[in-house]
Amino acid sequence: MAVIGQDIYYAKRLLEQGELVAIPTETVYGLAANALNTRALARIFEVKRRPRFDPLILHIRQTDELPLWVEHIPATLQKLAEQFWPGPLTLVLPKRPHVPDLLTAGLPTVAIRVPAHPLTQALLQQLTFPLAAPSANPFGYVSPTQATHVAKQLGEQLAYILDGGPCQVGLESTIVGWDDTQCCPKVLRLGGLSLEALEAVAGPLLVQNHSSSRPAAPGMLTQHYAPGKPVFLSLSEALQHYQAHQLASIVLSEPLAELPIQHQLILSPSGQLHEAAQRLFAALRQAEQLDVQAIVAPLVPELGLGRAINDRLRRAAARQASRFD
Ligand code: TXA
Ligand code: MG
């Protein structure tokens, strides 16, 4: 069973030996390995049960190391990196030849970010290599935002979990690439950095956060981010299949009058979307533990981090939709 602690030197030693270590970031916990060690990379795919076509994110120390890994950087994306790194932004750029193909799943591009969490920053400063890290959850499941979430699902397969407390952002990073035809940035995954914040720096963006069998970011399959119980976006739909006492809810600020109060999880009593984002994934896990059959999670306002929250809720509910169709 994995040890949970805060020893970056122990984490460093394990990573140097090609072992996996779970690391805290400001978005979600990552399952990290030496990004230049293909055997360690292969182990990430194995532990996560992640298909090899789904590439990993490269985590680097600081913005000025970007040219070591990518061929060129459009000026607007450089501006985004300077403005938002360290932070919940991932950039997809043309990779240099020494970036392992296993990391990028054979794509000519690599996804890169500079994480903001102080423990992981301190760890990266100690290392002579960057870290590859997907979210530290089994493929298709909700991302972990606390060390105990990682321990519960992957603890048996890991030696060490670096505990940085609950993640401050709580949603995965926003992924931005470049659209060659329209010559502008393109959002490939909505996440912990809002469109409004990005557009204030980069001007209008394309958003291609599609979910299909061949999504723009290969990990963006519909039916992702799903907890172990059915999720419904609407109470009336849930009530067609279950009785009120069989349901839990996850709501922004107001409980649903029709359901027992002890089964309702409130994300932010004052209706703050950043607070709701912080708590969302823990709430999905908590709701799964309650003595209920299914979860009702109504969409939140579609602005700021609300867009990414709604994206995750729609994906969590998609499995349901297909089961009852
Ligand atoms: O916040 C985050 O981004 C967290 C923390 C740990 O950094 N990581 C994370 O990794 O969410 P993961 O592996 O769960 O999601 C990475 C996403 C996947 O959907 C993958 O398909 C996409 O990034 N991706 C990676 N490389 C790509 C590329 N070259 N082009 C397009 N999408 C890419
Ligand atoms: Mg993930």
Side-chain angles (χ1 to χ4, degrees):
M1 191 64 186
V3 172
I4 300 182
Q6 300 191 319
D7 186 348
I8 58 167
Y9 297 98
Y10 183 49
K12 170 180 190 255
R13 216 161 64 234
L14 290 168
L15 289 163
E16 285 170 349
Q17 292 164 0
E19 302 278 338
L20 306 189
V21 172
I23 57 164
T25 84
E26 75 283 21
T27 58
V28 300
Y29 275 75
L31 180 62
N34 176 350
L36 306 179
N37 177 336
T38 46
R39 209 185 287 174
L41 292 176
R43 181 96 181 105
I44 291 182
F45 286 93
E46 199 183 307
V47 165
K48 247 191 97 93
R49 280 177 274 124
R50 178 178 178 122
R52 293 273 183 114
F53 65 73
D54 193 358
L56 307 175
I57 295 176
L58 188 69
H59 295 70
I60 61 172
R61 278 188 287 220
Q62 55 205 47
T63 309
D64 63 11
E65 290 178 349
L66 195 48
L68 293 175
W69 310 103
V70 307
E71 292 285 0
H72 71 93
I73 312 157
T76 318
L77 296 191
Q78 177 73 33
K79 217 158 108 185
L80 289 177
E82 277 161 19
Q83 180 73 30
F84 295 112
W85 280 353
L89 169 70
T90 293
L91 295 177
V92 172
L93 293 162
K95 84 175 188 84
R96 294 187 62 172
H98 59 274
V99 175
D101 288 329
L102 187 53
L103 181 104
T104 64
L107 293 175
T109 52
V110 59
I112 298 199
R113 84 181 191 97
V114 178
H117 195 289
L119 260 191
T120 290
Q121 265 292 335
L123 173 63
L124 283 168
Q125 297 300 334
Q126 296 293 324
L127 297 171
T128 56
F129 47 81
L131 292 174
S135 51
N137 51 280
F139 185 71
Y141 193 77
V142 180
S143 293
T145 51
Q146 297 172 20
T148 50
H149 296 165
V150 182
K152 192 154 182 216
Q153 293 188 302
L154 300 179
E156 299 291 339
Q157 293 145 281
L158 279 180
Y160 199 58
I161 299 170
L162 198 56
D163 186 357
C167 299
Q168 289 300 300
V169 175
L171 298 171
E172 302 84 353
S173 60
T174 300
I175 303 181
V176 178
W178 185 251
D179 190 278
D180 283 323
T181 29
Q182 310 227 19
C183 287
C184 70
K186 178 164 69 179
V187 174
L188 305 175
R189 176 176 74 181
L190 295 167
L193 184 63
S194 72
L195 279 187
E196 289 87 341
L198 285 167
E199 289 192 332
V201 173
L205 300 169
L206 295 175
V207 180
Q208 202 188 64
N209 184 64
H210 291 317
S211 37
S212 67
S213 55
R214 298 220 49 180
M220 294 298 282
L221 305 170
T222 337
Q223 306 195 8
H224 222 82
Y225 305 99
K229 283 182 180 163
V231 175
F232 293 88
L233 302 178
S234 112
L235 176 63
S236 56
E237 202 194 334
L239 288 171
Q240 290 170 19
H241 304 283
Y242 299 96
Q243 298 181 336
H245 72 269
Q246 297 175 308
L247 297 171
S249 81
I250 297 174
V251 294
L252 178 57
S253 54
E254 297 299 325
L256 304 173
E258 296 83 348
L259 302 190
I261 192 70
Q262 69 275 19
H263 288 168
Q264 304 209 51
L265 304 171
I266 295 169
L267 294 172
S268 170
S270 56
Q272 302 292 317
L273 292 170
H274 76 271
E275 189 180 24
Q278 250 171 22
R279 296 191 183 165
L280 177 68
F281 291 161
L284 281 164
R285 287 168 188 264
Q286 238 176 303
E288 196 187 359
Q289 296 307 310
L290 292 171
D291 183 20
V292 295
Q293 303 293 312
I295 302 164
V296 182
L299 296 179
V300 303
E302 185 78 12
L303 54 98
L305 292 186
R307 287 194 186 87
I309 293 174
N310 287 342
D311 172 75
R312 303 305 187 265
L313 291 176
R314 287 192 188 99
R315 286 174 205 279
R319 183 169 292 174
Q320 224 22 63
S322 56
R323 190 183 305 177
F324 286 109
D325 267 353

